[in-house]
Structures are given as structure tokens and as C-alpha cells.
Amino acid sequence: MSDTDHIRELREPDSTGAAARPEKKPEDAKSFAWFLVKLVLIVLLFRTLVFTSFNIPSESMMPRLLVGDYLFAAKWPYGYSRHSLPFDLDVGDGRLFSTLPERGDVAIFKHPIDKSDYIKRVIGLPGDTIQMMDGVLYINGAAVPKEPVANFVLPTTAARGCGPGRARFTVRQADGSFACSFPQFRETLPNGVSYNVLDLTTVEVDNTPPITVPQGHLLMMGDNRDNSQDSRKPAVANGWVGMVPVENLVGRASFMYFSTDGSAEWLKPWTWFTAARWSRIGKSI
């Protein structure tokens, strides 16, 4: 028997008729495709019913939230409506499994007019009467305790400063760098929820008439009281939010998964790491 016959004998079925091992490529490709389908379904289910992501574009919730924070918001605590589901899915009137927020919750919601995403703190529930007098918050006629605490210090640059009209808050730190040092206060709501607010000066909405929250609505306020377009004025597109329908709730802010100070440059990968605010990542809200 020649060498060629010997090689053929090794490659062909033996005399018992045993077949060569079948190829698995089509089966492997099918399994991988099914895995991708399941992964997409899991992600969609997660984004639809469990959490949604959100990034902070403004200073209205300082000191708790900073521009450049990225967070997850839990959807299930308040139930579901077309505003919290993808593609504006119609679930009928109101919300499914609806539960009112608690005072002090930080919630994401759709603007009553332009439907853009906003994030504020829940201050007034349906039936509450809310008023601001000389910068002090009143709920149902009782003043919310507002105690001064240590200033909120936020690193900045000499060029950027602390924003228009806030140069007086710019300070130089021991290492020669610059920071903004903002007056900070601790508020404690009637249900015991405490949080810090910024109050830099006197503005128009430091004094408001009594506002009674209609049924099915919420009164929202930003923690940065002098720089927040919230429920202290009637709703206007791309601005003040007025009374927010409960139906417009998207979710309750849960925790931060990333934060950056905005100094990163795409063409300089090392700045992606130096710009990250590592101490904020993973913090609950």
C-alpha cells in the first residue's frame, strides 16, 4: 500500500461505516446569534422596567449633583407611564403600579410642555401648600429648618471662575489652585429627609405666594436655589417647570456610575482618567 493510500485511509470512514465528525460551524453561528438576541432582550427589559441612565447638564442640583455626573434612575418605585417607557408606549391614562414619591426624593421627570428630561427634588405632594419667604421654605405653614454648614468647595480654574456674578466666591487654596466656595445650608423636611442646598444671594423666587399643589401633581425644586428653574414659577418651554404631573415621572435617582469634570480631550486619552471624579463614582443619591 502506498503512502497516499495510507493517508486516504486515515481520512475516510473505516470499514465499520463510522462517519467523519460533522462540522459545527452552522450550529455555533446559530447559538451565537441566539445569545445576541437574548442579550438585546435583557438589555431592553432592563432599560424598560428597571433602570435608565441620565447625565447632569446643569448646576441646578448642586451641591448633591454636579455637571458631568452620570447616574442610574430606578423606574419601578413610581410605576410606569408612557413617559418612562421607550417609544412613548401607551399604557392608558395615568401610570401602571403608580406610587407617589416621598418628600426629598430626587426624581427625573418630563417637562410638562416640551417633554425634555429634568431632575429636581420632590418638595410638595398633592394637597400641600408650599411657600418661600426670604429664602426659607415653608410646607403647610411650617418653616423647614435651614441650618448653615461648611461652605461647598468646588475646584475650578482662574480662567473659568465661578460663573457670572459669582467672582466673590472664588478662593485660592493652599496648593495654589482655585476653587469656588459657596454658602451651604442643611434643610430637614417634615419626614426627616435632610440634604444640603446652596443659597448665594437674594433672587425673585426667594419670596413666593402660597402655592397649593393640585391633585395628581408634584412641586419640584432644585437644591441650588438661586440657579434652578423649577416649580416656583409656571411652566414655560425650555425653562420653568411649574406643577409636574405625577404621570410625567421617569424614575428615582439611585446612584452615580461615572463622573467627569469636563477637562478630558478625545485626542489625549490620559486625560480621560485625570478628568474622572473617582470619589463620586458609586455614590448613592
Side-chain angles (χ1 to χ4, degrees):
M1 181 171 63
S2 67
D3 290 341
T4 302
D5 292 337
H6 178 69
I7 293 172
R8 185 183 298 117
E9 184 175 309
L10 291 176
R11 290 180 176 174
E12 292 179 350
D14 60 23
S15 57
T16 63
R21 179 179 299 176
E23 293 188 9
K24 291 187 177 181
K25 287 185 179 179
E27 184 180 340
D28 289 345
K30 185 177 180 181
S31 297
F32 182 67
W34 178 234
F35 166 77
L36 290 180
V37 170
K38 290 190 289 184
L39 181 62
V40 169
L41 289 174
I42 291 171
V43 171
L44 285 176
L45 187 64
F46 182 85
R47 290 293 305 273
T48 300
L49 300 177
V50 185
F51 283 103
T52 187
S53 60
F54 187 79
N55 71 287
I56 304 302
S58 76
E59 297 181 347
S60 70
M61 282 300 292
M62 286 202 312
R64 188 65 196 93
L65 298 174
L66 307 179
V67 175
D69 285 345
Y70 290 77
L71 57 88
F72 280 123
K75 288 188 171 185
W76 72 87
Y78 305 146
Y80 305 93
S81 75
R82 62 188 181 89
H83 297 293
S84 60
L85 295 174
F87 315 117
D88 284 338
L89 292 176
D90 188 3
V91 296
D93 295 334
R95 302 180 69 85
L96 293 175
F97 314 113
S98 179
T99 301
L100 275 179
E102 295 184 10
R103 287 196 193 95
D105 281 2
V106 177
I108 296 170
F109 58 92
K110 297 291 186 181
H111 190 285
I113 296 176
D114 61 48
K115 306 308 183 216
S116 56
D117 288 326
Y118 275 62
I119 183 167
K120 307 288 182 187
R121 192 177 296 277
V122 178
I123 297 297
L125 300 177
D128 284 344
T129 298
I130 308 297
Q131 186 174 15
M132 294 292 296
M133 290 193 289
D134 296 327
V136 176
L137 172 63
Y138 285 76
I139 298 179
N140 298 324
V144 171
K146 182 180 178 183
E147 304 294 332
V149 294
N151 281 10
F152 173 65
V153 178
L154 181 67
T156 185
T157 65
R160 184 171 61 184
C162 299
R166 299 188 294 186
R168 67 187 184 279
F169 299 112
T170 305
V171 297
R172 193 153 195 158
Q173 304 190 96
D175 62 1
S177 63
F178 291 91
C180 302
S181 182
F182 295 131
Q184 185 173 212
F185 302 84
R186 188 76 170 169
E187 284 187 350
T188 303
L189 297 176
N191 62 350
V193 174
S194 292
Y195 50 88
N196 289 357
V197 299
L198 300 184
D199 193 358
L200 312 184
T201 186
T202 300
V203 296
E204 179 186 0
V205 287
D206 278 343
N207 289 281
T208 68
I211 304 169
T212 299
V213 184
Q215 290 301 313
H217 291 72
L218 302 167
L219 188 146
M220 316 292 288
M221 291 178 64
D223 292 347
N224 189 352
R225 292 291 164 77
D226 299 335
N227 191 19
S228 174
Q229 294 180 317
D230 46 43
S231 297
R232 290 173 288 177
K233 281 189 174 184
V236 295
N238 302 308
W240 298 87
V241 304
M243 296 296 106
V244 177
V246 172
E247 179 184 351
N248 287 32
L249 290 171
V250 174
R252 184 180 65 199
S254 181
F255 66 93
M256 280 177 270
Y257 64 87
F258 189 66
S259 182
T260 176
D261 64 13
S263 64
E265 299 180 39
W266 283 110
L267 299 180
K268 298 178 180 178
W270 60 90
T271 64
W272 304 349
F273 299 94
T274 57
R277 301 186 186 109
W278 299 105
S279 62
R280 297 183 64 78
I281 297 174
K283 278 192 172 184
S284 60
I285 298 170

